[in-house]
Amino acid sequence: MPTLLILGGTGEARRLASVLPPTYRVISSLAGRVADPVLPAGEVRIGGFGGPAGLAAYLRAERIDTVVDATHPFAAQISANAALACAEAHVPLIVLRRPGYAVAGHRVPSLEAAAELLPSLGRRVFLTTGRQSIGHFRDPGTHYLLRCVDEPDEVPSNVDVIRDRGPFTVDGEVALMREHAIEVLVTKDSGGDMTAAKLEAAERLGIPVVVVDRPPVTPGVPVCASVEEVTARLIG
């Protein structure tokens, strides 16, 4: 029975774990950064591996046949560790990355670049970039609305936090942006239908959008854009 390790935490990772045939042993690994994660089907492990060397040791110990990196498109460190570990342990690696947002907006390479651009676009900012991003947005003359799953460790006085988990609706996003008088939306290029409603809402309201580009995939690693592409590659 082939053993598959899914580096997960995304909806695609959960769906992949649920559609693979019972001829596979499927292990899903979650980083443990979300307090109450939605668990996938099958075996689940939570927590880090101890860097590339620790992951390579795990791959050998569990006799993993293939690794699918289905982490968030911005989980750059985990993805880099997976590429190094798989190369060391001689285990095939597949990256599952949903397509990015096809949206006209201000594309920037980093959160720092987004923060620098904001004063020219608006002073009431809707941040959908995750709770760990708040440290990049420190302009005292700007008011931030941060939406995230878990409470940030530190919340400055000019930040309002909404704890919520998608999927979201366009009408709901429009109402939220109107309620908070939002002038600009900042988002990472995470892609996916579950979080795209905010983009349509911003377009409907004429609100500019700042999109942080996702980090590149490790060169030479095959990339699939859907669960179906991964299963076709695995099963044929």
Side-chain angles (χ1 to χ4, degrees):
M1 176 182 292
T3 301
L4 179 73
L5 175 65
I6 302 174
L7 303 177
T10 60
E12 291 84 2
R14 292 189 294 273
R15 193 157 74 85
L16 178 61
S18 68
V19 301
L20 287 169
T23 51
Y24 274 82
R25 179 194 175 201
V26 179
I27 306 171
S28 294
S29 174
L30 306 181
R33 293 177 180 171
V34 176
D36 185 24
V38 180
L39 298 180
E43 297 181 44
V44 179
R45 71 174 303 280
I46 296 178
F49 292 95
L55 177 53
Y58 179 87
L59 299 180
R60 296 189 187 99
E62 294 293 331
R63 298 186 178 181
I64 302 296
D65 294 286
T66 305
V67 174
V68 176
D69 174 8
T71 57
H72 191 278
F74 282 81
Q77 189 60 61
I78 298 173
S79 294
N81 288 350
L84 291 171
C86 287
E88 180 182 335
H90 303 289
V91 173
L93 171 65
I94 301 171
V95 171
L96 172 54
R97 284 289 182 275
R98 55 188 178 241
Y101 293 134
V103 58
H106 302 270
R107 311 289 304 208
V108 294
S110 65
L111 291 167
E112 292 87 352
E116 291 176 6
L117 179 61
L118 285 178
S120 66
L121 299 175
R123 293 290 184 174
R124 296 191 63 84
V125 179
F126 185 19
L127 293 176
T128 62
T129 49
R131 66 184 178 92
Q132 295 179 322
S133 69
I134 190 60
H136 297 279
F137 300 93
R138 295 290 191 180
D139 180 10
T142 297
H143 185 84
Y144 302 99
L145 175 66
L146 172 68
R147 183 168 64 198
C148 50
V149 177
D150 294 323
E151 188 77 16
D153 295 332
E154 178 187 355
V155 181
S157 60
N158 61 333
V159 177
D160 289 333
V161 177
I162 297 177
R163 291 183 58 188
D164 202 356
R165 192 198 306 259
F168 304 104
T169 66
V170 176
D171 288 343
E173 298 289 64
V174 167
L176 180 66
M177 293 183 198
R178 282 178 172 161
E179 177 187 352
H180 292 271
I182 295 301
E183 297 173 348
V184 57
L185 167 67
V186 181
T187 184
K188 292 178 177 178
D189 189 12
S190 303
D193 295 335
M194 192 173 79
T195 56
K198 61 192 172 189
L199 301 175
E200 186 174 339
E203 183 179 6
R204 185 182 296 183
L205 295 171
I207 293 172
V209 179
V210 178
V211 182
V212 180
D213 287 330
R214 57 178 61 176
V217 174
T218 300
V221 177
V223 180
C224 294
S226 68
V227 170
E228 290 73 21
E229 285 187 35
V230 174
T231 54
R233 192 179 187 96
L234 290 172
I235 302 171

